[in-house]
Each structure stands twice: as C-alpha cells, then as structure tokens.
C-alpha cells in the first residue's frame, strides 16, 4: 500500500494533503479539534501536561462530533486525537481519562526519556485494541530512528526549528530535517511510516514544499492561533496578527517559562515566542526577580499585557508574519489544502512545459 493509502486507512475521514492542528496546551481544545476533523483534516485537542480536564474535554468532543458527518471507521472511536506532553503526565492517569471515549490518535512529545514512550505506546494500544493510532513528534534524525525502531509509531511528526512553542533548543529547519529523516528511515527498512511536517508552515506554499520534501501533510500551530476556535486571549491573538518578519521578531528562549514559573521541561527544550519587553529586559541583564515582578504586574492589564511593549508570553513560530487574519478552523484547513494543490498543479504545468522545451 502507498503511504497515502496507509494514512487514509488509519483515519478514513481525512483528505490529503493532510492538514493537522497542533495540540496546543490550553489553546487547542474540543471545538478546534472537531472543526478541523469536520473539514477533512486531523484535529488534536491538547491535554499537555495536565490531564485533569481531559475526560470532560473528550465528552465535549463527543457531543460536537454528533452534529457533524465525520466518517470514522469505528463508531466507538472519536475521530480526533489527544496531544500529551509526556514528561508531565502519569501514564495511568492518561489511560483512565481516555477509557470512556477512545480517541483515534494520541500524540506524544517531549518525554523525560525517549524509552518512556515504549510503555505509553503499548499501554494505549492495549487499552484501545490498537484503534488509537500513535503519533510521535520528534525533532532530530536520531530521535526519529530511535522511536521508529522501539515504538513502531503509526505517524511521525517531524518538527523543525521554526516551530512555535516548545521544541528542541538545537535543531534543524524542516527543509533539511524531513528529507534526512525520510532517507534514514527508508535505509533502516522503516520507510512506510507516514511523515507529517511541522514548524513554520502556515499556508499553501509551505504545505506544497513539505509534500515535495516527502511529507504526507503538515501540522500547523501558529496558523491556528488566529482561528475562531482557538481558546486564546484577544491580546495574544492580536499580537500574532501584528507581528511580521518572524526570524527577527521571534526567538527560541527559556525566559518565558522562567517568568511563568514553568519548570520540568527536559533541558534540551525551550520555546519560540514573540519578542517583547520581558525578553529584551532579560537580554539587558535585568534580574529574573524584577522581570517576574513586572510580568505578574502585566498579567493584571488583560489584553494590554501583550504586544511589542507588553510583557506576556505569546508563543508563536517564525511563520507568524504570514498570518494576517482570523478565520474559522474549517476555512483554514480548506484554504491551505486547496492552495497547496494549486501550487503543485502550477509547478506540474511549468515542469511539463519545460520538459517539452528541453525536448
Ligand atoms: C502556542 C503553542 C502551544 C503549543 N503547545 C504544544 C503542546 O501542548 N504540545 C505539543 O506537542 N506541541 C505544542 N506546540 C508545538 C506544536 O506541536 C508544533 O510543533 C508547532 O506549532 C509547529 O510550528 P508552527 O507553530 O510554526 O506551526 C505548541 C505550539 C504553539 C505555537
């Protein structure tokens, strides 16, 4: 079977090229996941590091799915996925939260040790009789090979350094990372695992490029921050719409986690966010204590706390400059998929003409 055939077999309602929303902690919840699925994409809701609300969120998704025509292969499986940040979650709690409504996929990211994912994979396959597919997000060739060999995932998400939010502090962009992962997996006899690209992709051109690299589809986080279904403060969303030139206006840094008191990320991870006064003051040598005091003060300013002169965290990827408008998740999925197909057919046309000329 072709790799696209494999993707369609495991998630029958999806349309290719596959558009996926990233499971963004606190932001991507049931409404986003179901809207993306409804548009023929794959929708994830984020459990992140806290599964306290997961059971309730899955119930919400179940209710929302009942009003749509998403065709899963199994009526007892919810046609959406759940994203975990593995270092912060107890496997037993996660399993318990998913007993009532089995999701079509789980997404693993950032375990304390890569080997921890072996148990996560086998226990979730056992709970769901292998009806829950295993997606794993990795950011290096070495991790891709390690998880492919030990977990045999159904899908690998290849996250490049342009990604918004957390990712590896040291990593390559998706343009070089994805084809190298594809080649090395092929050489290891693991070439049938579908690859999905992530990091800096916000529209049809980037999606078409990722298909050329060997991906079956793309994950977008930053693009969906400007969706109607995002559970996001207006000040944060406005910041995403305002920001241009993402290479200059965002950076990978640990400062935002430090100021928010978030600890526990394995040391090789940090987060890409929009630069603001918190970042600049830290660069100038301001003490963390004073910076945190100002951060906490900014939290009382509501939407005014974000922005170039603000201090609050706005995690976003370097593709942020291409995000100009808030749209529904359904419109985003349909537009990106259509534009990618358009780009590819224009390229196909150009290359056919060129071949004809070259004779
Ligand atoms: C605001 C935000 C929150 C994120 N939260 C998570 C998360 O909870 N779990 C996770 O696996 N990835 C998370 N990510 C990373 C995404 O999985 C994905 O790799 C990234 O969004 C892709 O890059 P892009 O933002 O340029 O589209 C987050 C990204 C953003 C922008």
């Amino acid at each position: 079977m072709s790799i696209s055939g494999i993707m369609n077999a495991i998630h029958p309602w999806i349309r290719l090229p596959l558009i996926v929303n990233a499971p963004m902690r606190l932001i991507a919840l049931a409404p986003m996941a179901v809207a993306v699925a409804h548009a023929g994409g794959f929708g994830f809701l984020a459990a992140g590091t806290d599964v306290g609300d997961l059971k309730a969120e899955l119930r919400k998704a179940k209710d929302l799915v009942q009003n749509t025509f998403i065709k899963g292969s199994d009526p007892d499986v919810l046609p959406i996925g759940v994203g975990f940040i593995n270092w912060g979650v107890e496997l037993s709690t996660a399993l318990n939260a998913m007993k009532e409504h089995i999701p079509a996929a789980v997404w693993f990211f950032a375990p304390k040790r890569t080997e921890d994912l072996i148990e996560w994979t086998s226990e979730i396959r056992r709970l769901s009789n292998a009806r829950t597919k295993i997606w794993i997000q990795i950011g290096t060739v070495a991790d891709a090979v390690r998880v492919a060999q030990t977990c045999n995932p159904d899908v690998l998400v290849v996250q490049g350094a342009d990604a918004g939010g957390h990712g590896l502090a040291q990593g390559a962009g998706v343009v070089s990372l994805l084809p190298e992962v594809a080649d090395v997996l092929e050489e290891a006899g693991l070439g049938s695992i579908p690859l999905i690209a992530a990091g800096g992709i916000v529209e049809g051109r980037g999606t078409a490029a990722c298909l050329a690299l060997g991906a079956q589809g793309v994950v977008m986080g930053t693009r969906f921050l400007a969706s109607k279904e995002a559970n996001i403060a207006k000040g944060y969303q406005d910041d995403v719409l305002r920001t241009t030139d993402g290479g200059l206006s965002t950076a990978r840094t640990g400062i935002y986690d430090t100021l928010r008191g978030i600890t526990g990320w394995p040391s090789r991870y940090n987060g890409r966010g929009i630069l603001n006064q918190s970042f600049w003051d830290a660069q100038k040598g301001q003490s963390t204590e004073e910076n945190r005091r100002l951060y906490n003060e900014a939290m009382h300013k509501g939407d005014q706390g974000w922005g170039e002169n603000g201090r609050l965290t706005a995690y976003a990827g370097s593709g942020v400059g291409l995000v100009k408008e808030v749209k529904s998740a359904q419109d985003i999925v349909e537009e990106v998929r259509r534009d990618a197909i358009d780009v590819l057919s224009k390229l196909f046309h150009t290359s056919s003409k060129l071949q004809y000329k070259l004779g």
Side-chain angles (χ1 to χ4, degrees):
M1 200 190 290
S2 67
I3 299 194
S4 50
I6 294 174
M7 276 312 295
N8 267 127
I10 61 175
H11 301 308
W13 65 92
I14 61 161
R15 293 176 58 192
L16 296 171
L18 180 59
I19 311 298
V20 182
N21 77 278
M24 296 180 281
R25 200 176 80 89
L26 307 174
I27 295 174
L29 301 175
M32 187 187 294
V34 174
V36 168
H38 186 55
F42 197 97
F44 276 96
L45 63 83
T49 47
D50 179 4
V51 291
D53 293 334
L54 180 55
K55 207 180 260 184
E57 209 52 39
L58 286 169
R59 276 187 197 145
K60 261 187 229 160
K62 175 80 180 169
D63 288 345
L64 290 169
V65 163
Q66 271 159 357
N67 301 324
T68 69
F69 298 99
I70 310 166
K71 291 215 175 351
S73 49
D74 184 334
D76 293 331
V77 173
L78 267 184
I80 58 156
V82 175
F84 295 102
I85 297 176
N86 296 72
W87 64 258
V89 184
E90 284 289 334
L91 173 57
S92 55
T93 333
L95 290 170
N96 193 36
M98 293 189 294
K99 264 188 198 147
E100 189 179 306
H101 296 301
I102 301 266
V106 287
W107 160 304
F108 300 155
F109 182 50
K112 277 190 196 126
R113 302 169 319 136
T114 311
E115 308 87 78
D116 296 344
L117 297 183
I118 300 171
E119 195 188 359
W120 274 80
T121 301
S122 64
E123 286 302 305
I124 289 177
R125 283 189 172 139
R126 201 173 54 78
L127 174 80
S128 70
N129 280 329
R131 291 176 298 170
T132 299
K133 302 303 171 193
I134 308 292
W135 292 43
I136 304 182
Q137 178 165 247
I138 49 81
T140 65
V141 177
D143 282 348
V145 174
R146 207 170 305 139
V147 299
Q149 283 172 339
T150 54
C151 301
N152 187 25
D154 297 286
V155 175
L156 269 181
V157 178
V158 180
Q159 186 198 41
D162 286 316
H166 287 88
L168 293 174
Q170 189 187 350
V174 80
V175 172
S176 55
L177 180 61
L178 196 131
E180 190 176 347
V181 166
D183 285 353
V184 172
L185 290 182
E186 183 69 39
E187 278 164 29
L190 297 160
S192 59
I193 301 173
L195 303 178
I196 305 290
I201 307 144
V202 286
E203 34 111 277
R205 288 170 294 181
T207 301
C210 289
L211 299 181
L213 298 171
Q216 299 300 310
V218 297
V219 167
M220 299 190 296
T222 299
R223 180 63 192 94
F224 283 103
L225 292 175
S227 68
K228 289 182 183 157
E229 289 80 357
N231 183 40
I232 188 171
K234 186 167 182 326
Y236 183 172
Q237 198 170 56
D238 286 348
D239 211 9
V240 169
L241 297 175
R242 169 195 68 80
T243 302
T244 57
D245 213 350
L248 280 180
S249 54
T250 72
R252 304 208 68 88
T253 170
I255 188 65
Y256 297 119
D257 278 346
T258 305
L259 298 180
R260 292 158 76 217
I262 292 176
T263 53
W265 277 93
S267 59
R268 58 188 191 132
Y269 292 87
N270 63 10
R272 183 179 288 280
I274 299 172
L275 304 184
N276 61 21
Q277 287 310 314
S278 297
F279 179 86
W280 298 121
D281 284 346
Q283 291 282 98
K284 282 185 219 144
Q286 185 180 63
S287 72
T288 303
E289 203 179 32
E290 175 61 2
N291 206 339
R292 193 174 282 146
R293 189 187 68 73
L294 293 168
Y295 192 94
N296 291 337
E297 219 172 75
M299 280 172 61
H300 297 294
K301 293 187 180 164
D303 291 329
Q304 309 304 318
W306 280 275
E308 208 171 4
N309 300 314
R311 307 196 75 88
L312 300 184
T313 308
Y315 278 130
S318 63
V320 66
L322 291 161
V323 181
K324 303 282 185 211
E325 209 185 326
V326 176
K327 293 188 176 173
S328 71
Q330 175 166 354
D331 283 350
I332 293 172
V333 172
E334 288 172 353
E335 180 183 289
V336 172
R337 189 170 56 219
R338 190 180 54 238
D339 288 353
I341 293 170
D342 254 22
V343 170
L344 290 172
S345 49
K346 278 185 195 133
L347 285 174
F348 178 73
H349 226 70
T350 315
S351 77
S352 311
K353 271 197 210 151
L354 202 64
Q355 270 178 0
Y356 177 73
K357 270 193 191 151
L358 294 173

